[in-house]
């Protein structure tokens, strides 16, 4: 709830503003980070969490491991050839 006075390089003026955007970033390995951001104000990291694989699979295990909407042909061909690249981007 605290505002901040900061110099905005793009407009070359001093402004008073608040951090009012919550941004989520997904990274390889299932890491999710969140930041609180505002215009011309340095972001504050709010959280960093590690995702996990849900062993039941999609739809709480009620679909026998299949998704109701399969990937398109190009995506499925890539998955068949290379697998799902969980640890790489």
């Amino acid at each position: 709830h605290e505002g901040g006075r900061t110099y905005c390089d793009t407009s070359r003026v001093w402004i008073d503003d608040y951090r009012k955007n919550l941004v989520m970033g997904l990274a390889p390995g299932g890491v999710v980070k969140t930041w609180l951001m505002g215009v011309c104000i340095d972001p504050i990291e709010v959280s960093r969490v590690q995702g996990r694989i849900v062993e039941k699979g999609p739809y709480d295990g009620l679909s026998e491991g299949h998704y109701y909407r399969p990937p398109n042909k190009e995506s499925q061909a890539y998955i068949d050839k290379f697998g799902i690249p969980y640890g790489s981007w």
Side-chain angles (χ1 to χ4, degrees):
H1 295 327
E2 288 183 20
R5 184 154 181 81
T6 186
Y7 183 74
C8 199
D9 287 331
T10 55
S11 61
R12 297 182 180 184
V13 297
W14 285 91
I15 63 168
D16 293 306
D17 204 359
Y18 294 88
R19 290 176 181 90
K20 51 192 163 204
N21 301 319
L22 185 63
V23 177
M24 296 178 69
L26 305 174
V31 175
V32 179
K33 284 188 174 186
T34 57
W35 296 271
L36 194 54
M37 301 173 79
V39 177
C40 300
I41 298 177
D42 292 333
I44 297 173
E45 186 174 315
V46 177
S47 68
R48 180 190 186 282
V49 295
Q50 176 66 51
R52 62 181 174 80
I53 296 173
V54 178
E55 298 297 330
K56 287 182 181 182
Y59 309 106
D60 285 327
L62 301 176
S63 65
E64 298 178 7
H66 300 284
Y67 288 95
Y68 295 131
R69 182 181 292 167
N72 62 37
K73 290 180 185 180
E74 293 82 12
S75 296
Q76 187 62 55
Y78 181 90
I79 292 168
D80 292 342
K81 186 173 182 178
F82 300 105
I84 297 175
Y86 285 110
S88 64
W89 288 354

